[in-house]
Amino acid sequence: MSYNDLFIRACRKESVDRVPVWYMRQAGRYDPDYRKIKEKYSLLEICRQPELAAEVTLQPVKRLGVDAAILYSDIMNPVASIGIDFDIVPNVGPVIDNPIRSAGDVERLKPIDVEGDLSHVLETIRILDRELEVPLITFAGAPFTIASYLIEGRPSKSYIKTKTLMYSEPAIWYQLMDKLGDMVITYLRAHMAAGGKAFQLFDSWVGALSPNDFKRYVLPTIERIFDELSDLPQPKIYFPGVASGELLPVLGSIKADVIGLDWRVSIAEGRRRLGGAFAVQGNLDPYVLTAPMDVIEAYARDIINDGIKEPGYIFNLGHGLFPEASPDKLLGLTEFIHRYSEEAIARLGRKESHHV
Ligand code: CP3
């Protein structure tokens, strides 16, 4: 099989003969092969063994036939290098013993040393660059989303401690955003040098902010990250996470190629709010995968019909896969997207050539 660059072409709004698809959290507990490996090793133990991390990254590509791989890692991994001890607790998420609460806590954060502390990540990327026949997406957590774990100490629903710091101690907040921004820039640049073919910045929880607060407290750092990485040729994705529909109108200044949408806005409405500059990615509600196959297909058909109306569309879920997802339905969905989008794009082409 020759190299499949559909995903890269769609990021660049080039023509494609079918819609590329990958899934956030496509390597994970819904996959029985992954669960077998997890019986022996924790997430962090897998990440520290490049051969194994590469194998886990490849599993969904082989099982599902998706058009891109996403590096097996976690958004928390780089924070070990800036001096934060954390653990990823099963069924909970990232947990930090000494959360960040004061100016001193932020001052103590060190610059990231990717080669020194995270060489296993770069080695995993190099292995995958040799083995993959689809593009490798690498990723980082965005400053707000990482800060929410660093400040709360564990997953939160209200982000009360994060917002308390943000509103009450803006100088500390901005210093934290600056340091996490620097971390992300250095980390992603190293990924791209090691062979990454695109990256996604995951801002999973930033939808907890109003558009004005997003603009004031977060957007400057997001702009800086994409500005400083704009010399890189690889496509760049910003995913503003769940409930981010209201933020879309204020993202226009970000030098990303693609914006990820959650399922609360349609693809057409998302594009309208973004103002047309970006390719878009998304946005099936992951829990639609609990429905019978014909219902899943009907949802996917509507999303694809919307997506292919303009160049630059990548199928994905509106958020990550969940552990109870059925591998069979996921395979069925992937095959459906490939088959249906190819027919639909061909039909569209015929209609357009008929017009001229
Ligand atoms: O997408 C992929 O397949 C690549 C791997 C990946 C993981 N985490 C592995 C993982 C990616 C892209 C992430 C990113 C990540 N991690 C995000 C952003 C994406 C999102 O979902 O919004 C966030 C917020 C985290 C933090 C985190 N890590 C959470 C909330 C959890 C879930 C805790 C749980 O057990 O339910 C984790 C753990 C984690 N990271 C798992 C995986 C496969 C599940 C637990 C495990 O298998 O050990």
Side-chain angles (χ1 to χ4, degrees):
M1 219 182 92
S2 59
Y3 192 82
N4 168 356
D5 69 346
L6 277 177
F7 165 77
I8 301 290
R9 294 182 59 82
C11 289
R12 298 201 172 117
K13 294 183 157 189
E14 293 168 6
S15 67
V16 289
D17 49 22
R18 64 175 171 76
V19 165
V21 50
W22 68 281
Y23 303 108
M24 292 187 274
R25 292 286 182 87
Q26 64 191 19
R29 282 167 295 180
Y30 77 92
D31 183 335
D33 295 334
Y34 176 75
R35 282 203 300 271
K36 251 179 244 150
I37 293 176
K38 279 303 297 278
E39 283 168 17
K40 283 200 234 154
Y41 304 106
S42 71
L43 183 144
L44 294 175
E45 285 165 347
I46 298 172
C47 294
R48 288 194 198 105
Q49 300 175 70
E51 291 290 345
L52 193 57
E55 185 190 326
V56 175
T57 304
L58 285 165
Q59 277 173 350
V61 180
K62 291 179 182 157
R63 177 186 282 275
L64 302 171
V66 284
D67 300 290
I70 176 148
L71 178 71
Y72 183 78
S73 181
D74 194 81
I75 57 165
M76 296 305 286
N77 285 354
V79 305
S81 178
I82 66 171
I84 293 193
D85 277 336
F86 69 94
D87 197 7
I88 295 193
V89 177
N91 303 315
V92 177
V95 173
I96 283 141
D97 290 335
N98 297 306
I100 287 190
R101 301 279 161 80
S102 69
D105 294 338
V106 177
E107 259 149 43
R108 272 190 293 278
L109 297 177
K110 300 179 291 185
I112 189 172
D113 177 2
V114 189
E115 298 289 339
D117 299 328
L118 296 157
S119 59
H120 52 277
V121 176
L122 302 181
E123 182 54 23
T124 307
I125 295 172
R126 285 187 204 103
I127 295 170
L128 287 163
D129 188 32
R130 291 195 292 273
E131 295 193 359
L132 277 167
E133 292 188 334
V134 295
L136 174 66
I137 304 166
T138 78
F139 66 92
F144 177 89
T145 292
I146 294 194
S148 77
Y149 290 111
L150 301 188
I151 297 166
E152 306 283 338
R154 55 195 299 113
S156 165
K157 285 204 164 69
S158 65
Y159 308 100
I160 183 166
K161 297 186 180 79
T162 311
K163 289 185 178 179
T164 304
L165 186 92
M166 192 177 89
Y167 293 127
S168 317
E169 302 279 3
I172 302 177
W173 173 262
Y174 287 117
Q175 199 190 0
L176 180 59
M177 290 296 101
D178 277 353
K179 287 197 164 189
L180 294 176
D182 290 344
M183 175 189 86
V184 164
I185 291 164
T186 306
Y187 187 54
L188 289 174
R189 188 175 281 289
H191 287 182
M192 295 303 105
K197 296 294 178 281
F199 69 76
Q200 175 155 320
L201 189 66
F202 277 95
D203 220 344
S204 305
W205 315 130
V206 80
L209 297 182
S210 71
N212 276 339
D213 283 349
F214 174 79
K215 270 205 291 203
R216 178 174 306 145
Y217 294 108
V218 176
L219 182 61
T221 312
I222 302 296
E223 284 173 339
R224 181 167 74 88
I225 292 169
F226 285 96
D227 277 352
E228 289 197 26
L229 295 173
S230 62
D231 61 302
L232 294 170
Q234 289 93 339
K236 302 160 190 71
I237 309 171
Y238 180 55
F239 175 57
V242 288
S244 55
E246 303 301 326
L247 301 183
L248 300 176
V250 302
L251 302 185
S253 55
I254 298 174
K255 287 190 191 126
D257 301 278
V258 185
I259 301 292
L261 303 177
D262 91 331
W263 62 91
R264 291 170 181 83
V265 287
S266 68
I267 298 288
E269 176 61 13
R271 278 193 171 123
R272 197 188 63 75
R273 293 185 187 187
L274 286 165
F278 303 99
V280 293
Q281 172 176 280
N283 68 346
L284 182 69
D285 179 347
Y287 293 113
V288 168
L289 286 164
T290 61
M293 207 56 222
D294 57 322
V295 175
I296 299 173
E297 290 185 2
Y299 273 80
R301 191 179 299 124
D302 286 347
I303 291 173
I304 292 167
N305 288 343
D306 219 4
I308 63 175
K309 279 189 190 132
E310 286 174 41
Y313 173 64
I314 299 144
F315 196 101
N316 205 312
L317 304 173
H319 196 206
L321 273 164
F322 52 104
E324 299 83 3
S326 149
D328 290 339
K329 286 183 181 175
L330 206 55
L331 178 60
L333 171 62
T334 312
E335 288 171 351
F336 176 80
I337 294 162
H338 283 164
R339 190 175 62 240
Y340 178 76
S341 70
E342 187 163 358
E343 291 162 12
I345 289 172
R347 256 196 314 273
L348 207 66
R350 281 197 295 276
K351 234 199 277 171
E352 273 169 12
S353 56
H354 186 75
H355 281 307
V356 279

